[in-house]
Coordinates of all heavy atoms in Angstrom, one line a residue:
G343 N 5.3 -21.7 -19.2 CA 6.6 -21.1 -19.2 C 7.3 -21.1 -17.9 O 8.5 -21.4 -17.7
V344 N 6.5 -20.8 -16.8 CA 7.0 -20.7 -15.5 C 7.5 -22.1 -15.0 O 8.4 -22.2 -14.2 CB 6.0 -20.1 -14.5 CG1 6.4 -20.3 -13.1 CG2 5.7 -18.6 -14.8
V345 N 6.8 -23.1 -15.4 CA 7.1 -24.5 -15.0 C 8.4 -25.0 -15.7 O 9.3 -25.6 -15.1 CB 6.0 -25.5 -15.3 CG1 6.4 -26.9 -15.1 CG2 4.8 -25.2 -14.4
V346 N 8.5 -24.7 -17.0 CA 9.6 -25.2 -17.8 C 10.9 -24.3 -17.7 O 12.0 -24.8 -17.7 CB 9.2 -25.2 -19.3 CG1 10.4 -25.6 -20.2 CG2 8.1 -26.3 -19.5
G347 N 10.7 -23.0 -17.5 CA 11.8 -22.1 -17.5 C 12.9 -22.4 -16.5 O 14.1 -22.5 -16.9
P348 N 12.5 -22.6 -15.2 CA 13.6 -22.9 -14.3 C 14.4 -24.2 -14.6 O 15.6 -24.2 -14.3 CB 12.8 -23.0 -12.9 CG 11.6 -22.2 -13.1 CD 11.2 -22.3 -14.6
L349 N 13.7 -25.2 -15.2 CA 14.4 -26.4 -15.5 C 15.4 -26.1 -16.6 O 16.6 -26.6 -16.5 CB 13.4 -27.5 -16.0 CG 12.4 -27.9 -14.9 CD1 11.4 -28.9 -15.6 CD2 13.0 -28.6 -13.7
V350 N 15.0 -25.4 -17.7 CA 15.9 -25.2 -18.8 C 17.1 -24.2 -18.4 O 18.2 -24.5 -18.7 CB 15.1 -24.6 -20.0 CG1 16.1 -24.2 -21.1 CG2 14.1 -25.6 -20.4
M351 N 16.7 -23.2 -17.7 CA 17.7 -22.2 -17.3 C 18.7 -22.8 -16.2 O 19.9 -22.5 -16.2 CB 17.1 -20.9 -16.7 CG 16.3 -20.2 -17.8 SD 17.3 -19.4 -19.0 CE 18.0 -18.0 -18.0
G352 N 18.1 -23.7 -15.4 CA 19.0 -24.3 -14.4 C 20.0 -25.2 -15.1 O 21.2 -25.2 -14.7
L353 N 19.6 -26.0 -16.1 CA 20.5 -26.8 -16.8 C 21.6 -26.0 -17.5 O 22.8 -26.3 -17.5 CB 19.7 -27.7 -17.8 CG 20.6 -28.6 -18.7 CD1 21.3 -29.7 -17.8 CD2 19.6 -29.3 -19.7
L354 N 21.1 -24.9 -18.2 CA 22.1 -24.0 -18.9 C 23.1 -23.4 -17.9 O 24.3 -23.3 -18.2 CB 21.3 -22.9 -19.6 CG 22.2 -21.9 -20.3 CD1 23.0 -22.5 -21.4 CD2 21.3 -20.8 -20.9
Y355 N 22.6 -23.1 -16.7 CA 23.5 -22.5 -15.7 C 24.6 -23.5 -15.3 O 25.8 -23.1 -15.1 CB 22.7 -22.0 -14.5 CG 23.5 -21.5 -13.3 CD1 24.2 -20.3 -13.4 CD2 23.6 -22.3 -12.2 CE1 24.9 -19.9 -12.3 CE2 24.3 -21.8 -11.1 CZ 25.0 -20.6 -11.1 OH 25.7 -20.2 -10.1
E356 N 24.2 -24.7 -15.1 CA 25.1 -25.8 -14.6 C 26.1 -26.1 -15.7 O 27.3 -26.4 -15.4 CB 24.4 -27.0 -14.2 CG 23.6 -26.9 -12.9 CD 22.9 -28.2 -12.6 OE1 22.9 -29.1 -13.4 OE2 22.3 -28.2 -11.5
E357 N 25.7 -26.0 -17.0 CA 26.6 -26.4 -18.1 C 27.5 -25.2 -18.5 O 28.6 -25.5 -18.9 CB 25.8 -26.9 -19.3 CG 25.0 -28.2 -19.0 CD 25.9 -29.4 -18.7 OE1 27.1 -29.4 -19.3 OE2 25.6 -30.3 -17.9
A358 N 27.0 -24.0 -18.6 CA 27.7 -22.9 -19.2 C 28.0 -21.7 -18.2 O 28.7 -20.8 -18.6 CB 26.9 -22.4 -20.4
G359 N 27.3 -21.7 -17.1 CA 27.6 -20.6 -16.1 C 26.6 -19.5 -16.1 O 25.6 -19.4 -16.9
W360 N 26.8 -18.5 -15.2 CA 25.9 -17.4 -15.0 C 25.8 -16.5 -16.2 O 24.7 -16.1 -16.6 CB 26.4 -16.6 -13.8 CG 25.7 -15.3 -13.5 CD1 26.2 -14.1 -13.7 CD2 24.4 -15.1 -13.1 NE1 25.3 -13.1 -13.4 CE2 24.2 -13.7 -13.0 CE3 23.3 -16.0 -12.8 CZ2 23.0 -13.2 -12.6 CZ3 22.1 -15.4 -12.4 CH2 21.9 -14.0 -12.3
V361 N 26.9 -16.1 -16.8 CA 26.9 -15.1 -17.9 C 26.1 -15.7 -19.1 O 25.3 -15.0 -19.7 CB 28.3 -14.8 -18.3 CG1 28.3 -13.9 -19.6 CG2 29.0 -14.0 -17.2
A362 N 26.3 -17.0 -19.4 CA 25.5 -17.6 -20.5 C 24.0 -17.6 -20.2 O 23.2 -17.4 -21.1 CB 26.1 -19.0 -20.7
A363 N 23.7 -17.9 -18.9 CA 22.2 -17.9 -18.6 C 21.6 -16.5 -18.8 O 20.5 -16.3 -19.3 CB 22.0 -18.4 -17.2
C364 N 22.4 -15.5 -18.4 CA 21.9 -14.1 -18.5 C 21.8 -13.7 -20.0 O 20.8 -13.1 -20.4 CB 22.8 -13.1 -17.8 SG 22.8 -13.2 -16.0
V365 N 22.8 -14.1 -20.8 CA 22.7 -13.8 -22.2 C 21.5 -14.5 -22.9 O 20.8 -13.9 -23.7 CB 24.0 -14.2 -22.9 CG1 23.9 -14.1 -24.4 CG2 25.2 -13.3 -22.4
A366 N 21.3 -15.7 -22.5 CA 20.2 -16.5 -23.1 C 18.8 -15.8 -22.7 O 17.9 -15.6 -23.5 CB 20.2 -17.9 -22.6
A367 N 18.7 -15.4 -21.4 CA 17.5 -14.7 -21.0 C 17.3 -13.3 -21.8 O 16.2 -13.0 -22.2 CB 17.5 -14.4 -19.5
A368 N 18.4 -12.6 -21.9 CA 18.4 -11.3 -22.6 C 18.0 -11.5 -24.1 O 17.2 -10.8 -24.7 CB 19.7 -10.6 -22.5
A369 N 18.6 -12.6 -24.7 CA 18.2 -12.9 -26.1 C 16.8 -13.2 -26.3 O 16.1 -12.8 -27.3 CB 19.1 -14.0 -26.7
T370 N 16.2 -14.0 -25.3 CA 14.8 -14.4 -25.4 C 13.9 -13.2 -25.3 O 12.9 -13.0 -26.0 CB 14.5 -15.4 -24.2 OG1 15.3 -16.5 -24.3 CG2 13.0 -15.8 -24.3
S371 N 14.2 -12.2 -24.4 CA 13.4 -11.0 -24.2 C 13.5 -10.1 -25.5 O 12.5 -9.5 -25.9 CB 13.8 -10.3 -23.0 OG 13.5 -11.0 -21.8
A372 N 14.7 -10.0 -26.0 CA 14.9 -9.2 -27.2 C 14.1 -9.8 -28.4 O 13.5 -9.1 -29.2 CB 16.4 -9.1 -27.6
L373 N 14.1 -11.2 -28.5 CA 13.3 -11.8 -29.5 C 11.9 -11.5 -29.3 O 11.1 -11.3 -30.3 CB 13.6 -13.3 -29.5 CG 12.9 -14.1 -30.5 CD1 13.3 -13.7 -32.0 CD2 13.1 -15.6 -30.3
G374 N 11.4 -11.5 -28.0 CA 10.0 -11.2 -27.8 C 9.7 -9.8 -28.2 O 8.6 -9.5 -28.8
A375 N 10.6 -8.8 -28.0 CA 10.4 -7.4 -28.5 C 10.3 -7.3 -30.0 O 9.5 -6.5 -30.5 CB 11.5 -6.5 -28.0
L376 N 11.0 -8.2 -30.7 CA 11.0 -8.2 -32.2 C 9.7 -8.9 -32.7 O 9.1 -8.5 -33.7 CB 12.2 -8.9 -32.7 CG 13.6 -8.2 -32.5 CD1 14.7 -9.1 -33.0 CD2 13.6 -6.9 -33.2
V377 N 9.2 -9.9 -32.0 CA 8.1 -10.7 -32.5 C 6.8 -10.1 -32.1 O 5.8 -10.3 -32.8 CB 8.3 -12.2 -32.0 CG1 7.1 -13.0 -32.4 CG2 9.5 -12.8 -32.6
V378 N 6.7 -9.4 -31.0 CA 5.4 -9.0 -30.4 C 4.6 -8.1 -31.4 O 3.4 -8.2 -31.4 CB 5.6 -8.4 -29.0 CG1 6.1 -7.0 -29.1 CG2 4.3 -8.4 -28.3
P379 N 5.3 -7.2 -32.2 CA 4.4 -6.5 -33.2 C 3.7 -7.4 -34.1 O 2.5 -7.1 -34.4 CB 5.5 -5.6 -33.9 CG 6.6 -5.5 -32.9 CD 6.7 -6.8 -32.2
Y380 N 4.4 -8.4 -34.6 CA 3.7 -9.4 -35.5 C 2.6 -10.1 -34.7 O 1.5 -10.3 -35.3 CB 4.7 -10.4 -36.0 CG 4.0 -11.7 -36.6 CD1 3.3 -11.7 -37.8 CD2 4.0 -12.8 -35.8 CE1 2.7 -12.8 -38.3 CE2 3.4 -14.0 -36.3 CZ 2.7 -14.0 -37.5 OH 2.1 -15.1 -37.9
A381 N 2.8 -10.5 -33.5 CA 1.8 -11.2 -32.7 C 0.6 -10.3 -32.5 O -0.6 -10.8 -32.6 CB 2.4 -11.6 -31.4
V382 N 0.8 -9.0 -32.3 CA -0.4 -8.1 -32.1 C -1.1 -7.9 -33.4 O -2.3 -7.9 -33.4 CB 0.1 -6.8 -31.5 CG1 -1.0 -5.8 -31.4 CG2 0.7 -7.0 -30.1
R383 N -0.4 -7.8 -34.5 CA -1.0 -7.6 -35.8 C -1.9 -8.8 -36.1 O -2.9 -8.7 -36.7 CB 0.0 -7.3 -36.9 CG 0.6 -5.9 -36.9 CD 1.3 -5.6 -38.2 NE 2.3 -6.5 -38.5 CZ 3.6 -6.4 -38.1 NH1 4.0 -5.3 -37.4 NH2 4.5 -7.3 -38.4
S384 N -1.4 -10.0 -35.8 CA -2.1 -11.2 -36.1 C -3.5 -11.3 -35.4 O -4.3 -12.1 -35.7 CB -1.3 -12.4 -35.8 OG -1.1 -12.6 -34.4
L385 N -3.6 -10.5 -34.3 CA -4.9 -10.5 -33.6 C -6.0 -9.9 -34.4 O -7.2 -10.1 -34.0 CB -4.7 -9.8 -32.2 CG -3.7 -10.4 -31.3 CD1 -3.6 -9.5 -30.0 CD2 -4.1 -11.8 -30.9
G386 N -5.7 -9.1 -35.4 CA -6.7 -8.4 -36.2 C -7.5 -7.3 -35.5 O -8.6 -7.0 -35.8
L387 N -6.8 -6.7 -34.5 CA -7.5 -5.6 -33.8 C -7.5 -4.3 -34.6 O -6.6 -4.2 -35.5 CB -6.8 -5.3 -32.4 CG -6.8 -6.5 -31.4 CD1 -6.0 -6.1 -30.2 CD2 -8.2 -6.8 -31.0
A388 N -8.4 -3.4 -34.3 CA -8.4 -2.2 -35.0 C -7.1 -1.4 -34.7 O -6.6 -1.5 -33.6 CB -9.6 -1.3 -34.5
R389 N -6.6 -0.8 -35.8 CA -5.3 -0.1 -35.6 C -5.5 1.0 -34.7 O -6.4 1.8 -34.7 CB -4.8 0.5 -37.0 CG -3.4 0.9 -36.9 CD -2.9 1.3 -38.3 NE -3.6 2.4 -38.9 CZ -3.4 2.8 -40.1 NH1 -2.5 2.2 -40.9 NH2 -4.1 3.9 -40.6
E390 N -4.4 1.2 -33.8 CA -4.5 2.2 -32.8 C -4.4 3.6 -33.4 O -3.5 3.9 -34.2 CB -3.4 2.0 -31.7 CG -3.6 0.7 -31.0 CD -2.3 0.3 -30.3 OE1 -1.2 0.6 -30.8 OE2 -2.4 -0.3 -29.2
E391 N -5.3 4.5 -33.0 CA -5.4 5.8 -33.6 C -5.3 6.8 -32.4 O -6.1 6.8 -31.5 CB -6.7 6.1 -34.3 CG -6.9 5.2 -35.5 CD -6.0 5.5 -36.7 OE1 -5.3 6.6 -36.7 OE2 -5.9 4.7 -37.6
K392 N -4.2 7.6 -32.4 CA -4.1 8.5 -31.2 C -4.7 9.9 -31.4 O -5.2 10.5 -30.5 CB -2.6 8.7 -30.9 CG -1.9 7.4 -30.5 CD -0.4 7.7 -30.2 CE 0.3 6.5 -29.7 NZ 0.3 5.4 -30.6
E393 N -4.8 10.3 -32.6 CA -5.3 11.7 -32.9 C -6.7 11.6 -33.5 O -7.6 12.3 -33.2 CB -4.4 12.5 -33.8 CG -3.0 12.7 -33.2 CD -3.0 13.5 -31.9 OE1 -4.0 14.3 -31.7 OE2 -2.1 13.4 -31.1
S394 N -6.9 10.7 -34.5 CA -8.1 10.7 -35.2 C -9.0 9.6 -34.6 O -8.6 8.8 -33.8 CB -7.9 10.3 -36.7 OG -7.2 9.1 -36.8
G395 N -10.3 9.6 -35.0 CA -11.2 8.6 -34.5 C -11.1 7.3 -35.2 O -10.2 7.2 -36.0
P396 N -12.0 6.4 -34.9 CA -11.9 5.1 -35.6 C -12.2 5.2 -37.1 O -12.9 6.0 -37.5 CB -12.9 4.3 -34.8 CG -13.9 5.3 -34.3 CD -13.0 6.5 -33.9

Side-chain angles (χ1 to χ4, degrees):
V344 170
V345 171
V346 174
L349 298 175
V350 176
M351 293 291 287
L353 180 62
L354 179 61
Y355 175 72
E356 290 181 353
E357 295 295 331
W360 168 252
V361 173
C364 291
V365 170
T370 302
S371 296
L373 182 62
L376 294 174
V377 174
V378 77
Y380 161 75
V382 173
R383 284 197 301 271
S384 68
L385 298 176
L387 298 175
R389 192 171 64 184
E390 298 164 322
E391 301 286 348
K392 296 183 176 59
E393 300 296 337
S394 61

